[in-house]
Amino acid sequence: MRILVVNVNTTASMTHAIGESARKVAAPGTEIIELTPDFGADSCEGNFESYLAAIAVMDKVLNYPGEYDAVIQAGYGEHGREGLQELLDVPVVDITEAAASTAQFLGHKYSVVTTLDRTVPLIEDRLKLAGLTDRLASVRASGLGVLELESDPERAVAAIVEQSRQAVENDKAEVICLGCGGMAELEARVSEATGVPIVDGVRAAVTIAESLVRMGLSTSKVRTYATPRPKTITGWPISQATRTVHA
Amino acid sequence: MRILVVNVNTTASMTHAIGESARKVAAPGTEIIELTPDFGADSCEGNFESYLAAIAVMDKVLNYPGEYDAVIQAGYGEHGREGLQELLDVPVVDITEAAASTAQFLGHKYSVVTTLDRTVPLIEDRLKLAGLTDRLASVRASGLGVLELESDPERAVAAIVEQSRQAVENDKAEVICLGCGGMAELEARVSEATGVPIVDGVRAAVTIAESLVRMGLSTSKVRTYATPRPKTITGWPISQATRTVHA
Amino acid sequence: MRILVVNVNTTASMTHAIGESARKVAAPGTEIIELTPDFGADSCEGNFESYLAAIAVMDKVLNYPGEYDAVIQAGYGEHGREGLQELLDVPVVDITEAAASTAQFLGHKYSVVTTLDRTVPLIEDRLKLAGLTDRLASVRASGLGVLELESDPERAVAAIVEQSRQAVENDKAEVICLGCGGMAELEARVSEATGVPIVDGVRAAVTIAESLVRMGLSTSKVRTYATPRPKTITGWPISQATRTVHA
Amino acid sequence: MRILVVNVNTTASMTHAIGESARKVAAPGTEIIELTPDFGADSCEGNFESYLAAIAVMDKVLNYPGEYDAVIQAGYGEHGREGLQELLDVPVVDITEAAASTAQFLGHKYSVVTTLDRTVPLIEDRLKLAGLTDRLASVRASGLGVLELESDPERAVAAIVEQSRQAVENDKAEVICLGCGGMAELEARVSEATGVPIVDGVRAAVTIAESLVRMGLSTSKVRTYATPRPKTITGWPISQATRTVHA
Amino acid sequence: MRILVVNVNTTASMTHAIGESARKVAAPGTEIIELTPDFGADSCEGNFESYLAAIAVMDKVLNYPGEYDAVIQAGYGEHGREGLQELLDVPVVDITEAAASTAQFLGHKYSVVTTLDRTVPLIEDRLKLAGLTDRLASVRASGLGVLELESDPERAVAAIVEQSRQAVENDKAEVICLGCGGMAELEARVSEATGVPIVDGVRAAVTIAESLVRMGLSTSKVRTYATPRPKTITGWPISQATRTVHA
Amino acid sequence: MRILVVNVNTTASMTHAIGESARKVAAPGTEIIELTPDFGADSCEGNFESYLAAIAVMDKVLNYPGEYDAVIQAGYGEHGREGLQELLDVPVVDITEAAASTAQFLGHKYSVVTTLDRTVPLIEDRLKLAGLTDRLASVRASGLGVLELESDPERAVAAIVEQSRQAVENDKAEVICLGCGGMAELEARVSEATGVPIVDGVRAAVTIAESLVRMGLSTSKVRTYATPRPKTITGWPISQATRTVHA
């Protein structure tokens, strides 16, 4: 089985970290292909960047030349999953939903701990549309940007541990979802500090994608995610234009 | 006062119809500037096209060379409004929300009548995020595509009237929102057939945008819609790349 | 266009302040007629007084001898709007709903800051029925009564600023609605202290009423707000009885 | 124990029917005092009449010269209960809430069958504020006015039976609340036709009022229903003015 | 009238306290029969024990040799009420629901104060299924186990008073439900400390059961609580097996 | 990896069918151990039987002598999962939740098609507590009992196909969950008739259990599902007593 794991930002080192995390949980025989969008922001921390990522991810996946069995959109709280579901016949799994869905099997309530406060409403909105907020205790922000997770990991860990602890003690979360594609390596640290299960969205998404493929299930095409109707689309794919311009 | 009214698809005739509709209700002294995106689909009838429109609208507005006091995103149930709010300092009004918000002043429950059944979930999701579903009686589809509104207006009117009538009788709607940027001219017909007020999103949005400007109010910048953080963005604006390629 | 702006209490100075506030945002050509009920409490701070105001406002409007195009009920969290909608053919706008509806175009979540704690549940209930609570961050009370806004303005401002600040910082409000007809002049002070947009219900209601009139829209009469059925009503209008008695 | 049962309309025969119904279930030693408002409509079928009734009921109760242990507001879906709670120290029970609350002990979901379609939203709103809609299957209208229950009882019974049957079969109601103060005698007929328990609001309210008194419980006065603050109220009580005028 | 009041744990002294509390509010002529399950835990403080209690209560009631008019399940937040409703023709009242339902007649919002934090989610879930959470301010835990209520009453009272006070001040509760079958005697203490009405579930349940019987109402049998279909059940009643083993 | 799959009824042939279904999707190296409770009903079609099953499943699992990595409770809409989570350290997956959780990755809305109408509220309640109803289109019943699935498969298939078709067409479901442990073989038939993905709860649960184990995740023990406190439990385990009696 081959799964495309697509980063939402253009930072290749982060794509690589996501890919490595995915491989740690992938079943024998599952090949993880990591992809970085050709355009967009080097980190997604708001709606503008997230909408751009939505299109960049679709563009990247549609231009992938090989075959694959499932796609994982590896951005926390980002737009775009519904578009991929329309365009593809294979299952599409968003890591925000994968983490929340997995957390609900582990405790009565769960919290998400993410980076910047400004991204909290994006995550809340994504979970609201996914119908996964009834058991959401809180979405908390560490106050550190996505790229600081790489540049100052110790400070990032401390801030995330603190918010996770508060989620458990004050918000009564029994499970913590790490709300950022680049946070996968923090699991052990946060788990030790809080005593609750920590769910990493990328890993959760890999197991869900594998499960769907194994059961022979894919996106329903009868209504919301039907293949787009044939029509005139100007300037698409964008990557073709972008690449030409860059040359 | 100058208001940009941006179509979400690339069909210029529809942009023009939207502009004309907007002008009918604009106050004296309000200038309506109609804009058509440089790329994207000739009609938006699903998530893929809607996400593309989100970016194309931002791209078009950011490249608009003049000054303006407010922006109206004239697509029903489309993505993107939050991104525009981040990028701009002036008020941004989405016609889906403008129509629903206006309808709530006119009756106990309202319905939306739109084009294709596949777009119903998009509209429902947009209204859900906007917090405007408590008094939503139903979103109904006429079964005709966006462009058929122009090509076969009589059949379109009949189908929309029929769904509106059912919304009033079966779903207990007391107000109907016409759920498509191109439906503005249908108001009289549907109103006559159902006996309830008909709200056109474009017109509602114009009055709301004018009101916000007159009160000196604009998007809050303290959290969700704060200006994007400075960062490296590859391949943006897209229109520049697209135009070059087209040349 | 002529708009009746009806105070809910019998304090004439407050009616005048409301009228002046309304005029500041009214379009050229809009005439604001301010009305004070003939009976009821000199300030509304609970359900008993609010129910009395509901009837007093209807009584006053029905007895208004001139013509008018819309009515604004200028009390925060008060009963009665639905009754006016049944009795009148012109649009009726409640300032509680007008403020909330406007705030939702400006930020992800909004709070209301009002006077006494005991009126908080009234406002919450009104917003609940209006379907405007999904994005409500909180309703907070300054602890000062309606009339203290006039008698000790400095203390009132300080208390309101403090609650607004807490709404933004703790409750994550991005917009503040000033929850009292008499608070209109506080806008600048609160806005400066919090950095978020401040919505005054009276002004918001004026622009909404004007917009509805301009679009030719009024209350739907098919069900909830149909004209009352003809029947025997004893002791109505109340003002006639009251006036006679007073003479 | 003495319980005031206050009709919401001015039709004395209906007051008497309500009183008789109340007495059928009252415990030995409970005295039922039936009261008819001094002003208002001869039947309440909308918000205007309901708001008028709210005040008329408060006016009547406040002017009652004797002592009493509890008050029942015997109107289905009417305004005013919160005001009575503020004004009185004894328990106040609304029949709409009493019926729903009782129904929830008898089945998984319940429906309300009332008179006119236009009163359905009033009942829905009252139940919404009372927090009793999670298990509400539907509110259905027989299409007959309040006074037709008295003038054409056979037709009224047939229409109510038919709506009750549909509530059970289509809406999956397991209990029916008869949504009108004057419907008490229909119980046997509807129960026989549907096979489900039928709850009459007046009777339910009597048992609840008795229970609260027996447990020594009454309205909490710490916040929402605190006694009104002392202030100047013009033209109250209304009945005094009205009576003088009538003289 | 004879009412069975069934404890959910096997501690006979607690059963007796519950019975005494019930008798204090029972009407003249109502006989309270207190029952202790034959198997299960000596206190229920979690799902395992609660599920066991569900079966033990059904087992005990089914084996009760005499006649009775209603059954009260006297455990706070415990499983099982729906099963009893299927098995019996007489009304079944759960004290969790009885308390909440009663509290809603007394204040705008109510809180539950219970024993251990781990039982809070059980109570929340029971109230959620009962459709009684809209006006629930909070469920708070004193941190003391069920049996400590008997062994160290002073400390228990102090802890419960403190949580009740916080519920009123911070969570805006206007009524407190004592969330434990063994807490009945605390009423006076907590009421004095908080100034709000205190509802004891057992007493509330007695009055509700009496009321249902007096109105001739019992569980609807058309769907959810229909009598179990005839089928082969192995090892039931459990008490028969258990007794044999014990011998 | 070894997974216990526990039937909720005592019908061994159904246990075997469930086990076979589980094995079809189990990963290489996963051993499926199927278990039948020692007591309870031969089919669960209501709350009484479901509560009995809850205890019987716990009893069976606790008495299982070997080691295992996860437990699947294979009953649709049944009680008991929370108790197992308290008692065990390994992950516990309920098939009702597994199916719904999986369906949400495949379409915008899903429906459940089950056996008898009387079990619909049980399934709805289970999904409500699991926080999985926001995207639930409907729970529909075929009208055939659990055991008829085995005795008259053709008629069962026809009825289930018909309800599934209605779920898609009328309720707008895009995915169907087969709401019964014994329905696994129907997948192909229903899928063909409706054109939407069909989710079998047992298979979904197997993949989820495997995924949790592979990620090293298990039930959070900090609050709701903490290990039961040590206390005196009479008559437990029940199977020991029951077996003795049977001898």
Side-chain angles (χ1 to χ4, degrees), chain A residues 15-99:
Chain A
T15 306
H16 189 61
I18 290 168
E20 284 303 285
S21 179
R23 282 179 198 104
K24 280 194 184 138
V25 77
T30 296
E31 183 186 3
I32 301 292
I33 308 285
E34 61 198 47
L35 297 176
T36 307
D38 287 337
F39 57 94
D42 55 354
S43 70
C44 289
E45 297 167 333
N47 279 288
F48 160 56
E49 294 148 9
S50 180
Y51 274 123
L52 194 49
I55 289 299
V57 166
M58 294 182 215
D59 181 276
K60 190 68 185 181
V61 171
L62 285 188
N63 282 290
Y64 180 73
E67 304 215 324
Y68 50 88
D69 299 288
V71 173
I72 292 170
Q73 176 164 322
Y76 222 91
E78 309 304 349
H79 295 282
R81 185 259 303 153
E82 311 96 312
L84 277 174
Q85 285 183 297
E86 285 178 11
L87 293 169
L88 306 178
D89 286 328
V90 301
V92 176
V93 179
D94 175 271
I95 66 169
T96 323
E97 299 167 24

Side-chain angles (χ1 to χ4, degrees), chain B residues 162-184:
Chain B
E162 170 59 19
Q163 290 302 316
S164 300
R165 204 184 51 70
Q166 288 190 30
V168 173
E169 289 180 17
N170 301 340
D171 310 334
K172 302 295 183 187
E174 304 183 7
V175 187
I176 299 292
C177 296
L178 291 179
C180 172
M183 283 183 183

Side-chain angles (χ1 to χ4, degrees), chain A residues 67-245:
Chain A
E67 304 215 324
Y68 50 88
D69 299 288
V71 173
I72 292 170
Q73 176 164 322
Y76 222 91
E78 309 304 349
H79 295 282
R81 185 259 303 153
E82 311 96 312
L84 277 174
Q85 285 183 297
E86 285 178 11
L87 293 169
L88 306 178
D89 286 328
V90 301
V92 176
V93 179
D94 175 271
I95 66 169
T96 323
E97 299 167 24
S101 199
T102 298
Q104 295 193 155
F105 287 103
L106 301 170
H108 194 260
K109 290 220 176 115
Y110 72 98
S111 282
V112 177
V113 178
T114 188
T115 52
L116 297 180
D117 183 57
R118 66 177 293 161
T119 67
V120 169
L122 276 90
I123 294 173
E124 290 173 340
D125 278 3
R126 241 27 59 199
L127 292 172
K128 194 176 199 178
L129 288 187
L132 295 168
T133 52
D134 271 16
R135 291 164 65 194
L136 175 65
S138 57
V139 181
R140 283 176 168 273
S142 69
L144 300 179
V146 171
L147 299 181
E148 287 169 288
L149 293 177
E150 294 204 328
S151 65
D152 188 351
E154 273 316 299
R155 195 169 143 238
V157 166
I160 289 160
V161 162
E162 172 58 20
Q163 291 302 316
S164 300
R165 205 185 50 70
Q166 288 190 30
V168 173
E169 288 179 18
N170 301 340
D171 310 334
K172 302 295 184 186
E174 304 183 8
V175 188
I176 300 291
C177 296
L178 291 179
C180 171
M183 283 184 182
E185 294 312 315
L186 302 171
E187 279 178 55
R189 299 280 291 273
V190 182
S191 177
E192 193 178 312
T194 59
V196 305
I198 309 299
V199 179
D200 170 62
V202 173
R203 295 187 192 171
V206 169
T207 68
I208 289 166
E210 287 180 344
S211 297
L212 296 176
V213 173
R214 221 190 317 156
M215 288 187 281
L217 293 170
S218 190
T219 306
S220 179
K221 289 289 176 179
V222 296
R223 196 187 192 210
T224 312
Y225 306 123
T227 302
R229 302 174 97 199
K231 59 185 61 173
T232 305
I233 300 184
T234 307
W236 182 260
I238 285 170
S239 57
Q240 189 179 13
T242 316
R243 272 200 298 270
T244 311
V245 171

Side-chain angles (χ1 to χ4, degrees), chain D residues 18 31 56 60 64 67 106 115 162 175 178 218 220 239 245:
Chain D
I18 290 167
E31 182 186 4
K60 188 70 184 180
Y64 180 74
E67 304 217 322
L106 301 171
T115 52
E162 171 59 18
V175 188
L178 290 180
S218 190
S220 179
S239 56
V245 171

Side-chain angles (χ1 to χ4, degrees), chain B residues 67-85:
Chain B
E67 303 215 323
Y68 49 89
D69 300 287
V71 173
I72 291 170
Q73 175 163 324
Y76 222 91
E78 309 304 348
H79 295 283
R81 185 259 303 155
E82 311 97 312
L84 277 174
Q85 285 184 296

